Amino acid sequence: MYINLVKHKADTGVSYECSEEFISIEGYDVLINGSFYVDDIPMTPLSFLSLYCQYGEYTYQYLDGCGTTYIIDRSQKRIFVFTDFFNSNSFTFYRFVPDGIMLSDNIFRIIDSTRAFEIDEKSAKYFLVNGYVSGGRTLVKDIMKVSPKTYLEIDMNSCEVHIHRCEYKFDKCEVTKFSYSDSFEKCVVSCMQNAHCAALSGGYDSNFIIWNVKGNSSSDNRLNAFCIGGTAGTDETKVAQKIAEYYGNIDLHIGYVSPETLNHLPEIVMALQGQIYEKGIFLQYE
């Protein structure tokens, strides 16, 4: 996916081009990148447009699913980028250029053709200590991303980007412990039944997976697990060691990040197209 906005000289206006995935419908260009539903029916570009025409910039409140949606409103000269609640499917990157702005879900689409880029030193240091990059920054200098719980509005007249905080409205509903737990456990076991490797930390998510795969299973197969700590900041390796010792059939691989780890960042950014979620990626990459 890409959108290029070009601001012409002498105030002659702004033109744009977008990738072929966009569907043109009556003055709008629409793209659904992911899986969304309307009344339990898969959302189509037309049903998404209907939501937008009804709710405008608050469309994100009615998105049920996982992914990112894009709409180019030609009449209002606005572009909106809406994501699911967790922004879990993919990132949308954007970059200001001398004559406009570029957006894409592939970071290299908005890096020059030589794929030469510069690591953002401030973001990289934050990443090594905390395990993620905060806000809308990325590890690549001058390239931003749409953050979770925000939506993007772009003025097509001025190429200005407005970042809005989402205000979600949730209805109270009851999820029984049995149905939730049973479904989740079946999903984990199904996904991990042939797994040979898993992440391990002191958090609930990785422990829930390990318990269902090793502690709640008759399998004697050993599991490779990995955990990465830091010379500064968060270090959960000791907790991971205790968990591995408890089960007795987990081979734990531990690594640490340090200032020298920065040398690997350009290779990792290149391999993962900028979509780096946590610092454990260093051990996975090696």
Side-chain angles (χ1 to χ4, degrees), residues 116-141:
F117 60 90
E118 185 179 346
I119 294 292
D120 186 303
E121 192 171 313
K122 183 177 179 180
S123 294
K125 289 179 179 178
Y126 188 95
F127 176 71
L128 289 179
V129 172
N130 299 284
Y132 60 94
V133 179
S134 66
R137 300 195 308 273
T138 70
L139 291 170
V140 180
K141 190 174 181 179

mmCIF file with all atom_site columns, all heavy atoms in Angstrom, residues 116-141:
data_model
loop_
_atom_site.group_PDB
_atom_site.id
_atom_site.type_symbol
_atom_site.label_atom_id
_atom_site.label_alt_id
_atom_site.label_comp_id
_atom_site.label_asym_id
_atom_site.label_entity_id
_atom_site.label_seq_id
_atom_site.pdbx_PDB_ins_code
_atom_site.Cartn_x
_atom_site.Cartn_y
_atom_site.Cartn_z
_atom_site.occupancy
_atom_site.B_iso_or_equiv
_atom_site.pdbx_formal_charge
_atom_site.auth_seq_id
_atom_site.auth_comp_id
_atom_site.auth_asym_id
_atom_site.auth_atom_id
_atom_site.pdbx_PDB_model_num
ATOM 1   N N   . ALA A 1 116 ? 19.140 3.332  1.233  1.00 0.00 ? 116 ALA A N   1
ATOM 2   C CA  . ALA A 1 116 ? 20.053 3.894  2.214  1.00 0.00 ? 116 ALA A CA  1
ATOM 3   C C   . ALA A 1 116 ? 19.238 4.644  3.254  1.00 0.00 ? 116 ALA A C   1
ATOM 4   O O   . ALA A 1 116 ? 18.339 5.400  2.913  1.00 0.00 ? 116 ALA A O   1
ATOM 5   C CB  . ALA A 1 116 ? 21.036 4.844  1.534  1.00 0.00 ? 116 ALA A CB  1
ATOM 6   N N   . PHE A 1 117 ? 19.501 4.401  4.530  1.00 0.00 ? 117 PHE A N   1
ATOM 7   C CA  . PHE A 1 117 ? 18.759 5.096  5.575  1.00 0.00 ? 117 PHE A CA  1
ATOM 8   C C   . PHE A 1 117 ? 19.656 5.262  6.784  1.00 0.00 ? 117 PHE A C   1
ATOM 9   O O   . PHE A 1 117 ? 20.692 4.615  6.923  1.00 0.00 ? 117 PHE A O   1
ATOM 10  C CB  . PHE A 1 117 ? 17.484 4.327  5.949  1.00 0.00 ? 117 PHE A CB  1
ATOM 11  C CG  . PHE A 1 117 ? 17.730 2.933  6.457  1.00 0.00 ? 117 PHE A CG  1
ATOM 12  C CD1 . PHE A 1 117 ? 17.924 2.693  7.806  1.00 0.00 ? 117 PHE A CD1 1
ATOM 13  C CD2 . PHE A 1 117 ? 17.762 1.863  5.582  1.00 0.00 ? 117 PHE A CD2 1
ATOM 14  C CE1 . PHE A 1 117 ? 18.149 1.416  8.276  1.00 0.00 ? 117 PHE A CE1 1
ATOM 15  C CE2 . PHE A 1 117 ? 17.980 0.576  6.034  1.00 0.00 ? 117 PHE A CE2 1
ATOM 16  C CZ  . PHE A 1 117 ? 18.175 0.355  7.385  1.00 0.00 ? 117 PHE A CZ  1
ATOM 17  N N   . GLU A 1 118 ? 19.216 6.121  7.679  1.00 0.00 ? 118 GLU A N   1
ATOM 18  C CA  . GLU A 1 118 ? 19.990 6.418  8.882  1.00 0.00 ? 118 GLU A CA  1
ATOM 19  C C   . GLU A 1 118 ? 19.171 6.031  10.106 1.00 0.00 ? 118 GLU A C   1
ATOM 20  O O   . GLU A 1 118 ? 17.994 6.369  10.212 1.00 0.00 ? 118 GLU A O   1
ATOM 21  C CB  . GLU A 1 118 ? 20.335 7.916  8.916  1.00 0.00 ? 118 GLU A CB  1
ATOM 22  C CG  . GLU A 1 118 ? 21.243 8.323  10.047 1.00 0.00 ? 118 GLU A CG  1
ATOM 23  C CD  . GLU A 1 118 ? 21.579 9.801  10.011 1.00 0.00 ? 118 GLU A CD  1
ATOM 24  O OE1 . GLU A 1 118 ? 21.324 10.445 8.961  1.00 0.00 ? 118 GLU A OE1 1
ATOM 25  O OE2 . GLU A 1 118 ? 22.079 10.328 11.029 1.00 0.00 ? 118 GLU A OE2 1
ATOM 26  N N   . ILE A 1 119 ? 19.802 5.303  11.011 1.00 0.00 ? 119 ILE A N   1
ATOM 27  C CA  . ILE A 1 119 ? 19.126 4.918  12.251 1.00 0.00 ? 119 ILE A CA  1
ATOM 28  C C   . ILE A 1 119 ? 18.931 6.152  13.127 1.00 0.00 ? 119 ILE A C   1
ATOM 29  O O   . ILE A 1 119 ? 19.836 6.981  13.273 1.00 0.00 ? 119 ILE A O   1
ATOM 30  C CB  . ILE A 1 119 ? 19.951 3.859  13.020 1.00 0.00 ? 119 ILE A CB  1
ATOM 31  C CG1 . ILE A 1 119 ? 20.009 2.542  12.238 1.00 0.00 ? 119 ILE A CG1 1
ATOM 32  C CG2 . ILE A 1 119 ? 19.382 3.627  14.408 1.00 0.00 ? 119 ILE A CG2 1
ATOM 33  C CD1 . ILE A 1 119 ? 18.684 1.830  12.129 1.00 0.00 ? 119 ILE A CD1 1
ATOM 34  N N   . ASP A 1 120 ? 17.732 6.286  13.684 1.00 0.00 ? 120 ASP A N   1
ATOM 35  C CA  . ASP A 1 120 ? 17.453 7.376  14.611 1.00 0.00 ? 120 ASP A CA  1
ATOM 36  C C   . ASP A 1 120 ? 18.091 7.022  15.958 1.00 0.00 ? 120 ASP A C   1
ATOM 37  O O   . ASP A 1 120 ? 17.633 6.120  16.655 1.00 0.00 ? 120 ASP A O   1
ATOM 38  C CB  . ASP A 1 120 ? 15.940 7.554  14.765 1.00 0.00 ? 120 ASP A CB  1
ATOM 39  C CG  . ASP A 1 120 ? 15.580 8.767  15.609 1.00 0.00 ? 120 ASP A CG  1
ATOM 40  O OD1 . ASP A 1 120 ? 16.028 8.845  16.762 1.00 0.00 ? 120 ASP A OD1 1
ATOM 41  O OD2 . ASP A 1 120 ? 14.845 9.630  15.101 1.00 0.00 ? 120 ASP A OD2 1
ATOM 42  N N   . GLU A 1 121 ? 19.153 7.711  16.314 1.00 0.00 ? 121 GLU A N   1
ATOM 43  C CA  . GLU A 1 121 ? 19.941 7.344  17.489 1.00 0.00 ? 121 GLU A CA  1
ATOM 44  C C   . GLU A 1 121 ? 19.143 7.431  18.784 1.00 0.00 ? 121 GLU A C   1
ATOM 45  O O   . GLU A 1 121 ? 19.226 6.552  19.645 1.00 0.00 ? 121 GLU A O   1
ATOM 46  C CB  . GLU A 1 121 ? 21.175 8.259  17.569 1.00 0.00 ? 121 GLU A CB  1
ATOM 47  C CG  . GLU A 1 121 ? 22.199 7.783  18.575 1.00 0.00 ? 121 GLU A CG  1
ATOM 48  C CD  . GLU A 1 121 ? 23.491 8.571  18.489 1.00 0.00 ? 121 GLU A CD  1
ATOM 49  O OE1 . GLU A 1 121 ? 23.994 8.770  17.370 1.00 0.00 ? 121 GLU A OE1 1
ATOM 50  O OE2 . GLU A 1 121 ? 23.989 8.991  19.550 1.00 0.00 ? 121 GLU A OE2 1
ATOM 51  N N   . LYS A 1 122 ? 18.335 8.472  18.922 1.00 0.00 ? 122 LYS A N   1
ATOM 52  C CA  . LYS A 1 122 ? 17.541 8.642  20.140 1.00 0.00 ? 122 LYS A CA  1
ATOM 53  C C   . LYS A 1 122 ? 16.532 7.504  20.292 1.00 0.00 ? 122 LYS A C   1
ATOM 54  O O   . LYS A 1 122 ? 16.379 6.919  21.375 1.00 0.00 ? 122 LYS A O   1
ATOM 55  C CB  . LYS A 1 122 ? 16.815 9.989  20.101 1.00 0.00 ? 122 LYS A CB  1
ATOM 56  C CG  . LYS A 1 122 ? 16.020 10.285 21.352 1.00 0.00 ? 122 LYS A CG  1
ATOM 57  C CD  . LYS A 1 122 ? 15.370 11.668 21.278 1.00 0.00 ? 122 LYS A CD  1
ATOM 58  C CE  . LYS A 1 122 ? 14.556 11.969 22.527 1.00 0.00 ? 122 LYS A CE  1
ATOM 59  N NZ  . LYS A 1 122 ? 13.918 13.322 22.447 1.00 0.00 ? 122 LYS A NZ  1
ATOM 60  N N   . SER A 1 123 ? 15.862 7.148  19.196 1.00 0.00 ? 123 SER A N   1
ATOM 61  C CA  . SER A 1 123 ? 14.880 6.064  19.239 1.00 0.00 ? 123 SER A CA  1
ATOM 62  C C   . SER A 1 123 ? 15.563 4.727  19.515 1.00 0.00 ? 123 SER A C   1
ATOM 63  O O   . SER A 1 123 ? 15.029 3.876  20.243 1.00 0.00 ? 123 SER A O   1
ATOM 64  C CB  . SER A 1 123 ? 14.111 5.983  17.917 1.00 0.00 ? 123 SER A CB  1
ATOM 65  O OG  . SER A 1 123 ? 13.331 7.134  17.721 1.00 0.00 ? 123 SER A OG  1
ATOM 66  N N   . ALA A 1 124 ? 16.741 4.524  18.932 1.00 0.00 ? 124 ALA A N   1
ATOM 67  C CA  . ALA A 1 124 ? 17.460 3.266  19.112 1.00 0.00 ? 124 ALA A CA  1
ATOM 68  C C   . ALA A 1 124 ? 17.871 3.062  20.565 1.00 0.00 ? 124 ALA A C   1
ATOM 69  O O   . ALA A 1 124 ? 17.747 1.959  21.116 1.00 0.00 ? 124 ALA A O   1
ATOM 70  C CB  . ALA A 1 124 ? 18.680 3.236  18.202 1.00 0.00 ? 124 ALA A CB  1
ATOM 71  N N   . LYS A 1 125 ? 18.343 4.104  21.211 1.00 0.00 ? 125 LYS A N   1
ATOM 72  C CA  . LYS A 1 125 ? 18.741 3.995  22.618 1.00 0.00 ? 125 LYS A CA  1
ATOM 73  C C   . LYS A 1 125 ? 17.541 3.707  23.503 1.00 0.00 ? 125 LYS A C   1
ATOM 74  O O   . LYS A 1 125 ? 17.609 2.893  24.429 1.00 0.00 ? 125 LYS A O   1
ATOM 75  C CB  . LYS A 1 125 ? 19.442 5.283  23.059 1.00 0.00 ? 125 LYS A CB  1
ATOM 76  C CG  . LYS A 1 125 ? 20.827 5.456  22.445 1.00 0.00 ? 125 LYS A CG  1
ATOM 77  C CD  . LYS A 1 125 ? 21.484 6.755  22.899 1.00 0.00 ? 125 LYS A CD  1
ATOM 78  C CE  . LYS A 1 125 ? 22.878 6.889  22.293 1.00 0.00 ? 125 LYS A CE  1
ATOM 79  N NZ  . LYS A 1 125 ? 23.521 8.165  22.680 1.00 0.00 ? 125 LYS A NZ  1
ATOM 80  N N   . TYR A 1 126 ? 16.437 4.369  23.196 1.00 0.00 ? 126 TYR A N   1
ATOM 81  C CA  . TYR A 1 126 ? 15.196 4.108  23.957 1.00 0.00 ? 126 TYR A CA  1
ATOM 82  C C   . TYR A 1 126 ? 14.760 2.660  23.767 1.00 0.00 ? 126 TYR A C   1
ATOM 83  O O   . TYR A 1 126 ? 14.346 1.987  24.706 1.00 0.00 ? 126 TYR A O   1
ATOM 84  C CB  . TYR A 1 126 ? 14.109 5.071  23.484 1.00 0.00 ? 126 TYR A CB  1
ATOM 85  C CG  . TYR A 1 126 ? 12.844 5.032  24.314 1.00 0.00 ? 126 TYR A CG  1
ATOM 86  C CD1 . TYR A 1 126 ? 12.637 5.928  25.354 1.00 0.00 ? 126 TYR A CD1 1
ATOM 87  C CD2 . TYR A 1 126 ? 11.850 4.078  24.068 1.00 0.00 ? 126 TYR A CD2 1
ATOM 88  C CE1 . TYR A 1 126 ? 11.482 5.895  26.118 1.00 0.00 ? 126 TYR A CE1 1
ATOM 89  C CE2 . TYR A 1 126 ? 10.692 4.034  24.832 1.00 0.00 ? 126 TYR A CE2 1
ATOM 90  C CZ  . TYR A 1 126 ? 10.519 4.935  25.847 1.00 0.00 ? 126 TYR A CZ  1
ATOM 91  O OH  . TYR A 1 126 ? 9.378  4.888  26.615 1.00 0.00 ? 126 TYR A OH  1
ATOM 92  N N   . PHE A 1 127 ? 14.884 2.174  22.538 1.00 0.00 ? 127 PHE A N   1
ATOM 93  C CA  . PHE A 1 127 ? 14.495 0.807  22.200 1.00 0.00 ? 127 PHE A CA  1
ATOM 94  C C   . PHE A 1 127 ? 15.324 -0.213 22.964 1.00 0.00 ? 127 PHE A C   1
ATOM 95  O O   . PHE A 1 127 ? 14.806 -1.202 23.485 1.00 0.00 ? 127 PHE A O   1
ATOM 96  C CB  . PHE A 1 127 ? 14.657 0.616  20.695 1.00 0.00 ? 127 PHE A CB  1
ATOM 97  C CG  . PHE A 1 127 ? 14.387 -0.778 20.204 1.00 0.00 ? 127 PHE A CG  1
ATOM 98  C CD1 . PHE A 1 127 ? 13.103 -1.281 20.181 1.00 0.00 ? 127 PHE A CD1 1
ATOM 99  C CD2 . PHE A 1 127 ? 15.423 -1.577 19.757 1.00 0.00 ? 127 PHE A CD2 1
ATOM 100 C CE1 . PHE A 1 127 ? 12.845 -2.567 19.723 1.00 0.00 ? 127 PHE A CE1 1
ATOM 101 C CE2 . PHE A 1 127 ? 15.174 -2.866 19.297 1.00 0.00 ? 127 PHE A CE2 1
ATOM 102 C CZ  . PHE A 1 127 ? 13.884 -3.351 19.282 1.00 0.00 ? 127 PHE A CZ  1
ATOM 103 N N   . LEU A 1 128 ? 16.634 0.008  23.067 1.00 0.00 ? 128 LEU A N   1
ATOM 104 C CA  . LEU A 1 128 ? 17.505 -0.940 23.753 1.00 0.00 ? 128 LEU A CA  1
ATOM 105 C C   . LEU A 1 128 ? 17.199 -1.030 25.240 1.00 0.00 ? 128 LEU A C   1
ATOM 106 O O   . LEU A 1 128 ? 17.293 -2.101 25.837 1.00 0.00 ? 128 LEU A O   1
ATOM 107 C CB  . LEU A 1 128 ? 18.971 -0.543 23.549 1.00 0.00 ? 128 LEU A CB  1
ATOM 108 C CG  . LEU A 1 128 ? 19.535 -0.745 22.144 1.00 0.00 ? 128 LEU A CG  1
ATOM 109 C CD1 . LEU A 1 128 ? 20.980 -0.287 22.087 1.00 0.00 ? 128 LEU A CD1 1
ATOM 110 C CD2 . LEU A 1 128 ? 19.435 -2.201 21.729 1.00 0.00 ? 128 LEU A CD2 1
ATOM 111 N N   . VAL A 1 129 ? 16.825 0.094  25.837 1.00 0.00 ? 129 VAL A N   1
ATOM 112 C CA  . VAL A 1 129 ? 16.553 0.116  27.272 1.00 0.00 ? 129 VAL A CA  1
ATOM 113 C C   . VAL A 1 129 ? 15.147 -0.396 27.593 1.00 0.00 ? 129 VAL A C   1
ATOM 114 O O   . VAL A 1 129 ? 14.948 -1.178 28.521 1.00 0.00 ? 129 VAL A O   1
ATOM 115 C CB  . VAL A 1 129 ? 16.739 1.541  27.840 1.00 0.00 ? 129 VAL A CB  1
ATOM 116 C CG1 . VAL A 1 129 ? 16.279 1.610  29.294 1.00 0.00 ? 129 VAL A CG1 1
ATOM 117 C CG2 . VAL A 1 129 ? 18.202 1.965  27.734 1.00 0.00 ? 129 VAL A CG2 1
ATOM 118 N N   . ASN A 1 130 ? 14.169 0.014  26.798 1.00 0.00 ? 130 ASN A N   1
ATOM 119 C CA  . ASN A 1 130 ? 12.771 -0.260 27.131 1.00 0.00 ? 130 ASN A CA  1
ATOM 120 C C   . ASN A 1 130 ? 12.138 -1.383 26.319 1.00 0.00 ? 130 ASN A C   1
ATOM 121 O O   . ASN A 1 130 ? 11.079 -1.882 26.670 1.00 0.00 ? 130 ASN A O   1
ATOM 122 C CB  . ASN A 1 130 ? 11.933 1.009  26.956 1.00 0.00 ? 130 ASN A CB  1
ATOM 123 C CG  . ASN A 1 130 ? 12.395 2.124  27.872 1.00 0.00 ? 130 ASN A CG  1
ATOM 124 O OD1 . ASN A 1 130 ? 12.120 2.110  29.059 1.00 0.00 ? 130 ASN A OD1 1
ATOM 125 N ND2 . ASN A 1 130 ? 13.129 3.098  27.326 1.00 0.00 ? 130 ASN A ND2 1
ATOM 126 N N   . GLY A 1 131 ? 12.764 -1.758 25.197 1.00 0.00 ? 131 GLY A N   1
ATOM 127 C CA  . GLY A 1 131 ? 12.248 -2.880 24.416 1.00 0.00 ? 131 GLY A CA  1
ATOM 128 C C   . GLY A 1 131 ? 11.283 -2.490 23.329 1.00 0.00 ? 131 GLY A C   1
ATOM 129 O O   . GLY A 1 131 ? 10.779 -3.349 22.619 1.00 0.00 ? 131 GLY A O   1
ATOM 130 N N   . TYR A 1 132 ? 10.982 -1.216 23.173 1.00 0.00 ? 132 TYR A N   1
ATOM 131 C CA  . TYR A 1 132 ? 10.063 -0.770 22.128 1.00 0.00 ? 132 TYR A CA  1
ATOM 132 C C   . TYR A 1 132 ? 10.371 0.692  21.827 1.00 0.00 ? 132 TYR A C   1
ATOM 133 O O   . TYR A 1 132 ? 11.151 1.343  22.529 1.00 0.00 ? 132 TYR A O   1
ATOM 134 C CB  . TYR A 1 132 ? 8.607  -0.924 22.565 1.00 0.00 ? 132 TYR A CB  1
ATOM 135 C CG  . TYR A 1 132 ? 8.253  -0.124 23.796 1.00 0.00 ? 132 TYR A CG  1
ATOM 136 C CD1 . TYR A 1 132 ? 7.704  1.154  23.704 1.00 0.00 ? 132 TYR A CD1 1
ATOM 137 C CD2 . TYR A 1 132 ? 8.490  -0.646 25.070 1.00 0.00 ? 132 TYR A CD2 1
ATOM 138 C CE1 . TYR A 1 132 ? 7.394  1.888  24.830 1.00 0.00 ? 132 TYR A CE1 1
ATOM 139 C CE2 . TYR A 1 132 ? 8.186  0.093  26.209 1.00 0.00 ? 132 TYR A CE2 1
ATOM 140 C CZ  . TYR A 1 132 ? 7.640  1.349  26.083 1.00 0.00 ? 132 TYR A CZ  1
ATOM 141 O OH  . TYR A 1 132 ? 7.349  2.083  27.202 1.00 0.00 ? 132 TYR A OH  1
ATOM 142 N N   . VAL A 1 133 ? 9.769  1.202  20.762 1.00 0.00 ? 133 VAL A N   1
ATOM 143 C CA  . VAL A 1 133 ? 9.924  2.612  20.410 1.00 0.00 ? 133 VAL A CA  1
ATOM 144 C C   . VAL A 1 133 ? 8.614  3.320  20.727 1.00 0.00 ? 133 VAL A C   1
ATOM 145 O O   . VAL A 1 133 ? 7.557  2.928  20.236 1.00 0.00 ? 133 VAL A O   1
ATOM 146 C CB  . VAL A 1 133 ? 10.270 2.783  18.916 1.00 0.00 ? 133 VAL A CB  1
ATOM 147 C CG1 . VAL A 1 133 ? 10.410 4.265  18.576 1.00 0.00 ? 133 VAL A CG1 1
ATOM 148 C CG2 . VAL A 1 133 ? 11.570 2.051  18.590 1.00 0.00 ? 133 VAL A CG2 1
ATOM 149 N N   . SER A 1 134 ? 8.673  4.325  21.563 1.00 0.00 ? 134 SER A N   1
ATOM 150 C CA  . SER A 1 134 ? 7.449  4.974  22.033 1.00 0.00 ? 134 SER A CA  1
ATOM 151 C C   . SER A 1 134 ? 6.896  5.951  21.005 1.00 0.00 ? 134 SER A C   1
ATOM 152 O O   . SER A 1 134 ? 7.586  6.382  20.080 1.00 0.00 ? 134 SER A O   1
ATOM 153 C CB  . SER A 1 134 ? 7.727  5.718  23.346 1.00 0.00 ? 134 SER A CB  1
ATOM 154 O OG  . SER A 1 134 ? 8.620  6.794  23.110 1.00 0.00 ? 134 SER A OG  1
ATOM 155 N N   . GLY A 1 135 ? 5.630  6.294  21.182 1.00 0.00 ? 135 GLY A N   1
ATOM 156 C CA  . GLY A 1 135 ? 4.991  7.299  20.347 1.00 0.00 ? 135 GLY A CA  1
ATOM 157 C C   . GLY A 1 135 ? 4.955  6.900  18.888 1.00 0.00 ? 135 GLY A C   1
ATOM 158 O O   . GLY A 1 135 ? 4.868  5.730  18.542 1.00 0.00 ? 135 GLY A O   1
ATOM 159 N N   . GLY A 1 136 ? 5.043  7.881  18.028 1.00 0.00 ? 136 GLY A N   1
ATOM 160 C CA  . GLY A 1 136 ? 4.966  7.622  16.601 1.00 0.00 ? 136 GLY A CA  1
ATOM 161 C C   . GLY A 1 136 ? 6.321  7.533  15.928 1.00 0.00 ? 136 GLY A C   1
ATOM 162 O O   . GLY A 1 136 ? 6.402  7.517  14.700 1.00 0.00 ? 136 GLY A O   1
ATOM 163 N N   . ARG A 1 137 ? 7.388  7.450  16.723 1.00 0.00 ? 137 ARG A N   1
ATOM 164 C CA  . ARG A 1 137 ? 8.716  7.375  16.128 1.00 0.00 ? 137 ARG A CA  1
ATOM 165 C C   . ARG A 1 137 ? 9.024  5.960  15.645 1.00 0.00 ? 137 ARG A C   1
ATOM 166 O O   . ARG A 1 137 ? 8.376  4.991  16.039 1.00 0.00 ? 137 ARG A O   1
ATOM 167 C CB  . ARG A 1 137 ? 9.784  7.812  17.134 1.00 0.00 ? 137 ARG A CB  1
ATOM 168 C CG  . ARG A 1 137 ? 9.610  9.243  17.629 1.00 0.00 ? 137 ARG A CG  1
ATOM 169 C CD  . ARG A 1 137 ? 10.882 9.730  18.320 1.00 0.00 ? 137 ARG A CD  1
ATOM 170 N NE  . ARG A 1 137 ? 11.340 8.813  19.353 1.00 0.00 ? 137 ARG A NE  1
ATOM 171 C CZ  . ARG A 1 137 ? 10.919 8.846  20.614 1.00 0.00 ? 137 ARG A CZ  1
ATOM 172 N NH1 . ARG A 1 137 ? 10.016 9.742  20.982 1.00 0.00 ? 137 ARG A NH1 1
ATOM 173 N NH2 . ARG A 1 137 ? 11.388 8.015  21.512 1.00 0.00 ? 137 ARG A NH2 1
ATOM 174 N N   . THR A 1 138 ? 10.038 5.844  14.805 1.00 0.00 ? 138 THR A N   1
ATOM 175 C CA  . THR A 1 138 ? 10.544 4.540  14.369 1.00 0.00 ? 138 THR A CA  1
ATOM 176 C C   . THR A 1 138 ? 12.055 4.550  14.559 1.00 0.00 ? 138 THR A C   1
ATOM 177 O O   . THR A 1 138 ? 12.655 5.547  14.951 1.00 0.00 ? 138 THR A O   1
ATOM 178 C CB  . THR A 1 138 ? 10.226 4.257  12.891 1.00 0.00 ? 138 THR A CB  1
ATOM 179 O OG1 . THR A 1 138 ? 11.022 5.122  12.063 1.00 0.00 ? 138 THR A OG1 1
ATOM 180 C CG2 . THR A 1 138 ? 8.748  4.477  12.587 1.00 0.00 ? 138 THR A CG2 1
ATOM 181 N N   . LEU A 1 139 ? 12.681 3.428  14.242 1.00 0.00 ? 139 LEU A N   1
ATOM 182 C CA  . LEU A 1 139 ? 14.130 3.335  14.336 1.00 0.00 ? 139 LEU A CA  1
ATOM 183 C C   . LEU A 1 139 ? 14.833 4.026  13.168 1.00 0.00 ? 139 LEU A C   1
ATOM 184 O O   . LEU A 1 139 ? 16.052 4.168  13.173 1.00 0.00 ? 139 LEU A O   1
ATOM 185 C CB  . LEU A 1 139 ? 14.559 1.868  14.389 1.00 0.00 ? 139 LEU A CB  1
ATOM 186 C CG  . LEU A 1 139 ? 14.192 1.129  15.681 1.00 0.00 ? 139 LEU A CG  1
ATOM 187 C CD1 . LEU A 1 139 ? 14.443 -0.360 15.534 1.00 0.00 ? 139 LEU A CD1 1
ATOM 188 C CD2 . LEU A 1 139 ? 14.989 1.673  16.857 1.00 0.00 ? 139 LEU A CD2 1
ATOM 189 N N   . VAL A 1 140 ? 14.065 4.417  12.169 1.00 0.00 ? 140 VAL A N   1
ATOM 190 C CA  . VAL A 1 140 ? 14.635 5.072  10.993 1.00 0.00 ? 140 VAL A CA  1
ATOM 191 C C   . VAL A 1 140 ? 14.410 6.576  11.098 1.00 0.00 ? 140 VAL A C   1
ATOM 192 O O   . VAL A 1 140 ? 13.294 7.038  11.329 1.00 0.00 ? 140 VAL A O   1
ATOM 193 C CB  . VAL A 1 140 ? 14.009 4.528  9.694  1.00 0.00 ? 140 VAL A CB  1
ATOM 194 C CG1 . VAL A 1 140 ? 14.627 5.223  8.482  1.00 0.00 ? 140 VAL A CG1 1
ATOM 195 C CG2 . VAL A 1 140 ? 14.221 3.024  9.597  1.00 0.00 ? 140 VAL A CG2 1
ATOM 196 N N   . LYS A 1 141 ? 15.467 7.322  10.912 1.00 0.00 ? 141 LYS A N   1
ATOM 197 C CA  . LYS A 1 141 ? 15.390 8.766  11.045 1.00 0.00 ? 141 LYS A CA  1
ATOM 198 C C   . LYS A 1 141 ? 14.426 9.373  10.025 1.00 0.00 ? 141 LYS A C   1
ATOM 199 O O   . LYS A 1 141 ? 14.410 8.974  8.855  1.00 0.00 ? 141 LYS A O   1
ATOM 200 C CB  . LYS A 1 141 ? 16.789 9.362  10.847 1.00 0.00 ? 141 LYS A CB  1
ATOM 201 C CG  . LYS A 1 141 ? 16.891 10.836 11.192 1.00 0.00 ? 141 LYS A CG  1
ATOM 202 C CD  . LYS A 1 141 ? 18.329 11.323 11.108 1.00 0.00 ? 141 LYS A CD  1
ATOM 203 C CE  . LYS A 1 141 ? 18.440 12.786 11.485 1.00 0.00 ? 141 LYS A CE  1
ATOM 204 N NZ  . LYS A 1 141 ? 19.840 13.257 11.426 1.00 0.00 ? 141 LYS A NZ  1
#
